[in-house]
Amino acid sequence: MKNRRVKRLLSIVLCIMLVMSNIAYADTSSTELAKYPDIVGNKYEVQIREWIANGFIKGYPDGSFKPGNQITRSEFMALVNRAYGFTETMEISYSDVTKSQWYYNDAAKAIKAGFIQGANGKLMPLDNISRQEMATIISRLTKNEKAAADDAMISSLSDNKDIPTWSKAAISTALKNKFFDGFVDKTFKPTEKISRLEAVVALDRAFKSMYKGVYTTQGVYGPEAGTQTLDGDVVVISPEVTLKNITINGDLILRETIGEGNVYLDNVVVLGETIVKGGGANSIVIKNSTLGKIIVIKEGNTVRIVATGTTTIDTVDIGANAELEEFELTGAGFNDVIVLDDIPVGANVIFEGNFGDVQIDSANINVAVQSGTLNSLTLAAAAVNTNINLGQQAAVTTMTLDAASNVTGTGTIGTANINATGTVMQQTPTTVVTAPNVIAQVGGQPATAPTAPVPSSGGGGGGGGGLRNIEIEFNNSLVVVGYSDHNPDIKKLNPADATLTYASSDATIVAINRTSGKMTGVKAGEATITVTATKSGYR
C-alpha cells in the first residue's frame, strides 16, 4: 500500500512538472500526415485534421477523406452530436426512422437537442442536406433562431429570389457571422447540397463562436505573466491541455473528447461551474487555482481530480466514478461534496485529503476515504446498499447514517449517528447515538437506543418514579402511539391491521377509552403497552 502511495505521488509530481515547464507536444508524425492525402494543402486542412483527431468526423477505409462528398441529414446529425457533445435521447416516431437503423440514436439525440425537425411525419435521414437547411440548424445551435432576417443582406445576393421566407433569417445570420466565408460570394445557392468540407468548416466556426476560448489541440494556453480574462464560457476539447494564468467569467467545460487524458489548470479562476466530462486516472490537476463548483459527469472509468498548492474548491457534485485528492496543499482545497443520486450503480468514489461536509445521496455505490479527515459524512435515507470504507489514515468527525450501511476499515469515527436498522460498523466510534427502535452492530457489539428518560415528576396518578404520559389516538385511518413528554416515537398503523395490548398491576393507573382515543396516567414500570402491526408496510 505504501509503495502504491509513493508511485501515485510521483505521478502527480510529474504532472505538475509538466505544467510548470510548459511542455507541450503535437502529433506530427509522418504516419499521421500521410493519412488523408486528399486534404494535404487544402485551405481548411487544419480544421479538418482537428475534427478527425477529436473524433468528430472520420475518413474512409481507403485512407481518403473525400472533402467534396455530399453529406446526408443522418450523417450531419451524427456530426453535430459528436462535435457539440449531445448525448441525451428521447423517444421519436418517424415513418422513415426505425430502431434497427444505425442513425436512430443520433436522430433521437438530435430531436432532443432541438437542432433538427421533420415534416409530415418524416425525418428524411437519407436525403442530402442543403445549404439553407444547414444554416437553419446552425442558427438553432448558436441560439440565433429568433433573430430577425436582414433584408438588406438578403437583397444583396443575386439569387435572393430563390431564398424562401422560412430560411432568410438563418441565412442572413450565418452570413453576418461569417460561417460560410469562402463558400459563397454574390450568390448563396440555398438548395445546393453541402459537402463534407463545408459542413466541418461551418460547424467549426459556429461552435467556436459560442465560447470565449476553445482548445482543440494539446498545448499550453495563457500568458507567462499577468492574467488573461475570458468573459464567457471556455471549453477544452483535447487532452494534454494546460490553462495558465486565466480568469474565466463563465463555465469551464472539459469535454468527453479528452478521454482518459490529462488537463492541467495552473493559476486559473473559474467564476462559473467547471464541468468534467473527460479525464483519466492521471488526471485533472488543479494548482494554485480557485474554482466555485465542479460537476463530475464523466462516463466510464474513474476520473481523478487533484488539488495542489493554494487551490480552493467550494463544492463538488459527483455523478460518476471519481477520486478527489489533495496533494501538497497550502490552500483550502476541497470543501463540500455531494454524491448525486443519479450516479451509476456500483460506482466508486474515493477521497484523499481533508474535506468539509460530504453527503451521499446515491444507492448501491462504494465510498472509500483512504486518508485525511472528513468533517462530516452523511448517508441519505435513499442511499441504500452503499458501502463505506475508512483507510487506516482516515478519520470522520461526524458520521450520520440515515440508510443502513456496511462501514469497514480501520479509520476512526468521532460521533456516529445511526438512524437505520441493519447498519454494521466495524469501528468503535468515540460516541454512538442510535435512534429509537434502530438495531445495529457497532464494533462487533449490538448497538441500541437508550431507554427514554423518566421525568422526576409528572401529572396524575402519583406513585414512585413519576408518571409517563402516553397517548394513543384512534381514528378511521390510523393509530398513533407516542410519548407526550419528549420527542415522540410515532408509529402509524391501520387499526384493522394492528392489535393493542396492555397490562398493569393497578387497573386505575391504565385506562383506554377507544371512543376518545386517550390513555393517560401510566406509572413508569407498572404498565406494558404494545402496538403490533399484523400486516407489513406500516411505519
Side-chain angles (χ1 to χ4, degrees), residues 396-480:
V396 176
T397 304
T398 302
M399 180 181 291
T400 301
L401 303 176
D402 292 330
S405 178
N406 185 27
V407 184
T408 60
T410 56
T412 60
I413 302 171
T415 298
N417 299 309
I418 303 175
N419 302 322
T421 291
T423 292
V424 177
M425 185 174 290
Q426 194 171 27
Q427 303 85 348
T428 302
T430 303
T431 303
V432 178
V433 180
T434 306
N437 299 320
V438 166
I439 300 172
Q441 189 177 74
V442 176
Q445 301 295 323
T448 57
T451 303
V454 178
S456 58
S457 62
L467 298 178
R468 176 180 299 159
N469 296 319
I470 300 177
E471 291 189 355
I472 299 181
E473 299 181 3
F474 297 86
N475 57 42
N476 292 330
S477 60
L478 54 84
V479 180
V480 179

Side-chain angles (χ1 to χ4, degrees), residues 1 6 9 31 42 56 95 138 151 165 177 247 275 316 327 337 401 461 524:
M1 183 66 164
V6 169
L9 294 182
T31 302
N42 189 293
F56 300 155
S95 61
I138 287 177
D151 293 331
T165 301
N177 288 285
T247 294
I275 302 169
V316 182
F327 172 70
V337 178
L401 303 176

Side-chain angles (χ1 to χ4, degrees), residues 321-372:
N321 288 285
E323 179 175 358
L324 306 183
E325 183 172 344
E326 295 178 340
F327 172 70
E328 292 190 352
L329 188 69
T330 56
F334 295 103
N335 189 18
D336 297 340
V337 178
I338 298 176
V339 179
L340 304 174
D341 60 4
D342 57 355
I343 192 171
V345 171
N348 296 298
V349 179
I350 301 170
F351 298 92
E352 294 189 49
N354 299 321
F355 295 78
D357 300 330
V358 175
Q359 179 169 321
I360 313 296
D361 290 340
S362 180
N364 301 297
I365 67 168
N366 303 301
V367 177
V369 186
Q370 294 188 344
S371 64

Side-chain angles (χ1 to χ4, degrees), residues 273-334:
E273 296 176 341
T274 299
I275 302 169
V276 179
K277 296 183 176 182
N282 296 305
S283 56
I284 311 299
V285 178
I286 305 171
K287 183 177 187 293
N288 299 334
S289 298
T290 302
L291 279 65
K293 184 176 187 178
I294 295 178
I295 302 173
V296 184
I297 50 176
K298 183 207 169 186
E299 295 183 1
N301 297 332
T302 298
V303 57
R304 184 157 132 255
I305 302 175
V306 179
T308 185
T310 61
T311 291
T312 296
I313 299 167
D314 289 341
T315 60
V316 182
D317 286 359
I318 298 178
N321 288 285
E323 179 175 358
L324 306 183
E325 183 172 344
E326 295 178 340
F327 172 70
E328 292 190 352
L329 188 69
T330 56
F334 295 103

Side-chain angles (χ1 to χ4, degrees), residues 70-102:
Q70 293 180 347
I71 187 168
T72 65
R73 285 166 59 88
S74 57
E75 290 170 336
F76 191 78
M77 287 186 286
L79 193 64
V80 172
N81 289 334
R82 289 194 293 265
Y84 285 72
F86 296 131
T87 58
E88 291 188 39
T89 62
M90 65 180 291
E91 286 294 322
I92 59 174
S93 178
Y94 294 96
S95 61
D96 53 356
V97 179
T98 64
K99 291 186 177 181
S100 63
Q101 293 161 320
W102 70 264

